[in-house]
Each structure stands twice: as structure tokens, then as C-alpha cells.
Amino acid sequence: MVTDPVPLQLAAELFPSGISRYAVGGLLVGLGAVVIYVGTGIPAGASTFLESTLSYVSGQSRFQQYVSSRDWRVVFTLGIILGGLAFAATVQSGVITTSLYEAGTTGELYEVGGVTFWSTAVQPWRLFLGGILVGIGTRIGKGCTSGHGVCGVGSASKTSLVGVVTFLTVATGTAQIVAAMGVSP
């Protein structure tokens, strides 16, 4: 009997539903980062969205540094939001089926007027608090996981490499502590 090499066994344990969905997602994110960089010359990242949006209504110099790039940043962020909504409305709700995702495996499905919708099981206050904490973290870390993790690591930035290791270490530790405490959505 031949067994899989150890790395394949570990991958199977880490990704029990397969790795293809993550590979497809990673390729799409990488392609998006390349398109933004080639089109604008600026690394993609979502953490400057608020400041670039405030440049429309505030004359403070802190916000005005983003005037030249604020339009694509708004489009970038709207794309993230609309992409998530489109995925929830189609794939997560089961309207479109794919081998990469099994509808109804996360959150809750419900029907309204014959249309299936998806809703997260995470309580709204936790989503809000998580968003606030992520926002604070991106300011302290001088960027977000999309900027550091995709563009910074891709360009071998030492700052981004340290940032990503820190993000992953803290996220893993937090997830383990929260799970050990029995907290669920």
C-alpha cells in the first residue's frame, strides 16, 4: 500500500474540502492586484479606503494625499462589497452550483417570495466590533492584509513579511483562544 507524502497528508487535514477553491480565489486576488498595479502603479490595498473617501469632503492634508488615487480606491472597495454580495446571492444561496462550494454549509438559507437568500450566523454586534478592530489594526500595522499580504509579500517587502507573519500569528492565536472558550457565532 502506497501512502501520500507527508505534505499531501497535512494539506488534506488543513483543507478537508480540498484546496481548489482557495487556489482559484488566490489566483483571482493575485490577478486583481496585478491589474491594479499595472493600471495605476500603486499597490492594491483596502485600508486607505476611508481616508481616500474622506478626501472628497475634507480639505485636511492627511486626506488630500489620496486625491489622485481616490476614484479607483472607491471602485476597488465597491468591487469587494458587490463581489461578496453577488457570491452570497448566487453561490452561497444555491442559485449557482459549483464543485468549489457547497451551498448552505455556512450561515443560514431562507426563502422570500421564492428567492433563496443567505445570511451569516455571526451576530451583528460581532461583525461591527470585528470591523472596528480590523480598522484599528490596519492603522497600527500601516496597511491591511490585502496590501501587505498580496502586494507586499509579492514584492518581497521586509515590512510586509513581518506584518503578515504578525497578522497570521495573532489571528491563529485569537481563533484558538476563542474556540477554547467555547465562543460561537
Side-chain angles (χ1 to χ4, degrees):
M1 180 173 161
V2 177
T3 61
D4 287 332
V6 172
L8 289 179
Q9 291 174 15
L10 290 173
E13 287 180 26
L14 288 172
F15 305 102
S17 298
I19 200 166
S20 58
R21 70 180 76 178
Y22 306 107
V24 169
L27 288 171
L28 292 174
V29 168
L31 178 63
V34 168
V35 167
I36 288 172
Y37 188 75
V38 169
T40 66
I42 300 171
S47 65
T48 53
F49 169 72
L50 177 61
E51 288 183 291
S52 63
T53 303
L54 289 174
S55 71
Y56 286 105
V57 295
S58 173
Q60 290 185 12
S61 62
R62 174 182 180 174
F63 305 126
Q64 292 306 305
Q65 65 181 324
Y66 300 107
V67 169
S68 64
S69 66
R70 67 184 177 191
D71 294 337
W72 76 260
R73 290 179 192 277
V74 170
V75 171
F76 177 74
T77 304
L78 288 175
I80 293 170
I81 294 166
L82 294 175
L85 289 173
F87 183 81
T90 57
V91 178
Q92 281 184 321
S93 64
V95 172
I96 296 175
T97 58
T98 173
S99 63
L100 298 176
Y101 183 83
E102 184 179 334
T105 56
T106 60
E108 302 169 13
L109 296 177
Y110 60 95
E111 286 198 29
V112 175
V115 178
T116 303
F117 290 97
W118 174 87
S119 176
T120 182
V122 179
Q123 298 167 343
W125 72 268
R126 289 186 176 167
L127 293 172
F128 181 76
L129 180 61
I132 297 295
L133 292 174
V134 167
I136 292 169
T138 60
R139 288 291 91 204
I140 293 171
K142 305 261 189 270
C144 60
T145 53
S146 60
H148 283 301
V150 177
C151 299
V153 169
S155 62
S157 163
K158 290 177 186 174
T159 302
S160 292
L161 290 167
V162 169
V164 169
V165 168
T166 303
F167 298 155
L168 292 175
T169 302
V170 170
T172 303
T174 301
Q176 294 300 318
I177 291 169
V178 168
M181 293 171 51
V183 177
S184 64

